[in-house]
Amino acid sequence: MRWLCCALPPVAMLLLLLSLSASPGTSSPVNPCCYFPCQHKGVCVRVGTEGYECDCTRTGYFGTNCTSPEFWMRLRDALKPSPAFYHFILTHFRWFWNIINNTFIRDTLMRLVLTVRANLVPSPPTYNSDYGYISWEAYANVSYFTRVLPPVPSDCPTPMGTKGPLQLPDAELVAEEFFLRRTFRPDPQGTNLMFAFFAQHFTHQFFKTSGKMGHGFTRALGHGVDLGHLYGDNLERQHQLRLFRDGKLKYQMVKGEMYPPTVLEAPVHMIYPKHIPPEEQLAVGQEVFGLLPGLMMYATIWLREHNRVCDLLKEEHPTWDDEQLFQTTRLILIGETIKIVIEDYVQHLSGYYLQLKFDPELLFGAQFQYRNRIAVEFNQLYHWHPLMPDSFKIQSEEYNYDQFVYNTTMLKDYGVEALVEAFSKQRAGQIGGVPNIHKKILRVAIGVIEESRLLRLQSFNEYRKRFGMKPYRSFQELTGEEEQAARLEELYGDVDAVEFYPGLLVEKSNPSSIFGESMVEIGAPFSLKGLLGNPICSPEYWKPSTFGGATGFELVNTASLQKLVCLNVKRCPYVAFRVPDDNGEEASAEPSGGSSSSGKKGPSTEL
């Protein structure tokens, strides 16, 4: 017992002694791993009934709790800048970055960003919702979401291990206190609804919790960018959506423009209220996309893009059959998606003046695994419902939630161009640092908290440590103010007991940013690993022949949000992920010299 006493901090040791002496002869010793003694990614293994060992293998640290750095790790820690420092450098000095973006240094920095971020996500996966230790099931059973940190042991004194209350505060109370919007807070970066709906439509291809199987399971077995939201997540659904002619998907023409077919024409399961007749229910790959016109707008744009690319491939390869045209087009659209996500979507989200670049060849000389697994922490983190406004403005009309949700006629009544322009010009909400979730969708956040408790996610501070950040020492340091900090302390008692998702939303935001440090530092590794871990980015796939030759490869390498929209509508509207300024340009333009959307209007034939 003596070595355990030395290993644990004084407060933890006191709790342990109290628990051991509370009911002599009847109570079981506290699992020492409940104190999370192993630092720097060390793995805690319980030994006997009262002991533990920390496996420090390849962490760069040694000692009982993996706290003593090896020489090179000590040197690295001394020289490594904080996340706040390099965020400041990357979001300031535009003139400097405009020079860097036109030199070879850009590629070097991009390679460094990709390797450092991706290495923070374990590959192959280590844990899942059922296994808090490495097992074959956690690796091989892709029906599970994986997870980065093991669950809090089930035999711990408190839900967060040993810190905090014996019973966590009511999830509804937490949501109402810290998430519920009192006044709409627009995102200071100028993020718009075009971005908000892109985020939702894009992530719905790999965030598909399987309620029938239980928490921690997914129906999106592709675990990444497979465009299941366009083609369906199984072969039967895909076949119902395909035209089986020239590689194309089924469609209907309305006023001379292409839209998804109805469920009468493509009999797939879609989630609509019972009062909506089948002839008004549009059929797409994701069954929930009828919920919001913004989601169905993106589904329509990608449907048009798929069939447009099929025509291009058919002209270039007249001998190809329907299957080869379909499969090759799917690969091209996957490539276009990744290109847009990195160079338009992530570029905007980061606020960096370093121009991000999608170039899989940057990683060909590095050790990298081209397989991805979606983690439950990534699923939890990506609930960005504060983006949604109080109402939705389309041209001269304003729609509340009851009028907007399941509005099956808006898309065809206004047309894609009008919705794109309206959503590009309406500002979205700030995600972190302020209570900003509309009351109509607060129940989703409550469900996230409840799910995290069922899965026994470790505390927010434990995740900060896992992703290379210092844990917060006080509630005031976490929130950057006093009133909310005092209420958090009243409910949680200890800053080390704050839960993962609440911590992400209450954390003070970076200056002029949409959210705080942790959302960036934890979310970015999952995102970049998932994008660059796609098989099309591997040396075996990343070549022109994979995409049908030079023409298809060029489509991937020149893709942008603006081209995606403007090549599939009659009139090119204002399209960007930022609201325009008074001159009709993006409020904060992206770094010059790349393929990012400028937001300028122009004839689609020139793109």
Side-chain angles (χ1 to χ4, degrees):
M1 186 70 177
R2 181 179 301 169
W3 64 275
L4 178 58
C5 294
C6 297
L8 293 175
V11 174
M13 195 60 233
L14 177 61
L15 285 171
L16 177 58
L17 291 173
L18 287 173
S19 66
L20 289 173
S21 60
S23 302
T26 60
S27 63
S28 300
V30 173
N31 180 351
C33 292
C34 292
Y35 300 98
F36 305 110
C38 306
Q39 304 300 303
H40 304 108
K41 303 181 187 178
V43 179
C44 184
V45 180
R46 191 172 185 179
V47 178
T49 59
E50 301 179 18
Y52 74 97
E53 292 178 354
C54 287
D55 185 348
C56 308
T57 305
R58 287 184 292 278
T59 63
Y61 293 82
F62 62 93
T64 304
N65 291 337
C66 309
T67 53
S68 301
E70 298 170 359
F71 173 76
W72 290 111
M73 184 59 67
R74 187 186 301 274
L75 185 63
R76 195 205 74 157
D77 288 347
L79 299 175
K80 182 182 177 182
S82 68
F85 174 80
Y86 62 72
H87 180 83
F88 176 83
I89 296 297
L90 288 165
T91 55
H92 291 75
F93 315 111
R94 184 196 295 268
W95 62 269
F96 170 76
W97 290 110
N98 284 343
I99 297 172
I100 294 296
N101 289 331
N102 289 287
T103 70
F104 71 93
I105 301 175
R106 177 195 177 200
D107 284 358
T108 302
L109 291 176
M110 191 66 203
R111 183 183 299 109
L112 183 64
V113 167
L114 293 173
T115 52
V116 170
R117 295 289 198 189
N119 286 340
L120 289 170
V121 178
S123 185
T126 47
Y127 312 111
N128 64 23
S129 56
D130 275 356
Y131 295 88
Y133 49 88
I134 289 181
S135 67
W136 185 255
E137 187 74 5
Y139 162 75
N141 191 340
V142 295
S143 296
Y144 287 101
F145 285 113
T146 184
R147 59 194 298 166
V148 173
L149 286 180
V152 175
S154 58
D155 56 353
C156 290
T158 74
M160 290 293 110
T162 59
K163 302 289 184 69
L166 296 178
Q167 184 173 346
L168 289 168
D170 180 71
E172 187 172 346
L173 174 64
V174 172
E176 289 178 351
E177 287 268 353
F178 305 108
F179 302 165
L180 180 61
R181 176 182 298 161
R182 278 75 177 178
T183 302
F184 175 69
R185 293 289 294 270
D187 170 44
Q189 288 182 212
T191 301
N192 58 25
L193 294 190
M194 195 68 181
F195 176 93
F197 288 126
F198 187 95
Q200 194 171 10
H201 107 277
F202 169 70
T203 58
H204 269 58
Q205 64 188 299
F206 44 77
F207 293 152
K208 300 189 72 172
T209 302
S210 178
K212 293 181 179 179
M213 297 177 69
H215 292 282
F217 288 91
T218 176
R219 292 184 291 113
L221 304 185
H223 282 269
V225 182
D226 60 2
L227 303 197
H229 57 330
L230 175 60
Y231 303 113
D233 58 10
N234 60 75
L235 194 59
E236 180 183 0
R237 189 177 184 93
Q238 179 198 117
H239 284 181
Q240 293 286 3
L241 294 168
R242 286 176 60 178
L243 188 61
F244 286 106
R245 186 172 67 249
D246 297 334
K248 293 185 176 182
L249 296 171
K250 291 178 180 178
Y251 60 92
Q252 61 171 313
M253 299 299 293
V254 179
K255 300 177 184 177
E257 295 191 296
M258 185 182 296
Y259 291 92
T262 68
V263 294
L264 297 175
E265 301 161 306
V268 296
H269 170 64
M270 294 293 296
I271 299 175
Y272 284 96
K274 293 181 179 179
H275 69 271
I276 297 178
E279 58 269 20
E280 292 183 13
Q281 298 182 22
L282 299 182
V284 296
Q286 230 299 356
E287 63 269 21
V288 304
F289 273 13
L291 175 69
L292 298 171
L295 299 178
M296 198 58 76
M297 174 198 70
Y298 271 113
T300 301
I301 293 171
W302 282 112
L303 166 68
R304 294 179 183 181
E305 177 68 0
H306 176 95
N307 287 352
R308 185 185 76 86
V309 172
C310 283
D311 285 336
L312 294 175
L313 290 180
K314 177 69 174 178
E315 183 177 352
E316 187 155 315
H317 304 284
T319 61
W320 282 13
D321 61 12
D322 169 78
E323 190 66 21
Q324 188 165 5
L325 288 169
F326 171 82
Q327 296 295 347
T328 305
T329 297
R330 181 173 186 168
L331 291 175
I332 290 172
L333 264 64
I334 288 173
E336 290 181 345
T337 297
I338 297 174
K339 172 86 168 177
I340 291 169
V341 169
I342 290 177
E343 297 193 5
D344 284 325
Y345 177 85
V346 177
Q347 180 75 67
H348 164 74
L349 198 61
S350 69
Y352 293 167
Y353 289 142
L354 168 66
Q355 188 181 346
L356 304 182
K357 182 179 184 181
F358 173 49
D359 182 1
E361 294 186 19
L362 292 174
L363 292 175
F364 285 180
Q367 185 179 8
F368 196 78
Q369 296 195 30
Y370 294 96
R371 188 186 182 192
N372 187 56
R373 288 285 295 277
I374 298 297
V376 71
E377 294 98 339
F378 193 34
N379 189 3
Q380 286 253 321
L381 172 149
Y382 230 117
H383 283 81
W384 291 352
H385 292 82
L387 287 168
M388 290 293 102
D390 287 337
S391 61
F392 304 86
K393 301 170 184 176
I394 317 292
Q395 295 181 350
S396 60
E397 299 293 327
E398 188 168 353
Y399 297 86
N400 61 33
Y401 277 76
D402 291 335
Q403 295 167 324
F404 192 74
V405 172
Y406 288 117
N407 189 321
T408 59
T409 62
M410 180 179 289
L411 175 63
K412 289 182 283 187
D413 286 346
Y414 283 104
V416 169
E417 296 99 321
L419 292 189
V420 166
E421 190 146 31
F423 296 149
S424 293
K425 292 182 177 180
Q426 183 173 355
R427 188 168 292 217
Q430 182 174 333
I431 295 174
V434 293
N436 210 19
I437 299 182
H438 193 278
K439 61 183 179 181
K440 286 284 187 179
I441 47 180
L442 188 67
R443 57 181 176 79
V444 181
I446 296 171
V448 175
I449 298 173
E450 291 173 341
E451 180 188 58
S452 73
R453 294 174 180 182
L454 288 171
L455 296 174
R456 305 200 309 280
L457 259 64
Q458 292 188 32
S459 72
F460 178 58
N461 261 346
E462 289 299 321
Y463 278 99
R464 280 184 59 84
K465 290 192 289 184
R466 172 59 179 76
F467 283 87
M469 295 171 282
K470 292 182 178 179
Y472 286 116
R473 294 164 296 180
S474 69
F475 291 96
Q476 287 82 2
E477 186 183 14
L478 167 62
T479 64
E481 54 83 78
E482 295 182 2
E483 184 177 343
Q484 206 174 40
R487 184 61 176 143
L488 275 170
E489 186 167 14
E490 184 181 338
L491 292 178
Y492 284 100
D494 192 307
V495 70
D496 286 333
V498 174
E499 298 168 271
F500 178 62
Y501 184 65
L504 288 166
L505 288 196
V506 302
E507 181 183 35
K508 59 184 180 295
S509 64
N510 285 325
S512 300
S513 180
I514 194 169
F515 38 51
E517 175 184 76
S518 301
M519 191 79 80
V520 177
E521 297 301 314
I522 299 174
F526 287 122
S527 180
L528 293 175
K529 175 63 174 70
L531 294 167
L532 273 298
N534 194 285
I536 73 158
C537 299
S538 68
E540 290 299 319
Y541 278 60
W542 188 252
K543 57 187 71 172
S545 56
T546 298
F547 307 98
T551 299
F553 205 33
E554 180 73 3
L555 290 174
V556 173
N557 283 310
T558 60
S560 70
L561 175 69
Q562 190 180 34
K563 290 183 69 173
L564 173 66
V565 172
C566 293
L567 288 173
N568 291 292
V569 295
K570 293 179 180 179
R571 177 188 64 85
C572 185
Y574 172 80
V575 51
F577 285 143
R578 279 186 173 89
V579 295
D581 60 17
D582 294 337
N583 297 318
E585 304 294 337
E586 287 187 53
S588 300
E590 302 288 4
S592 61
S595 60
S596 296
S597 167
S598 68
K600 295 180 180 179
K601 295 182 181 180
S604 60
T605 55
E606 293 181 3
L607 296 172

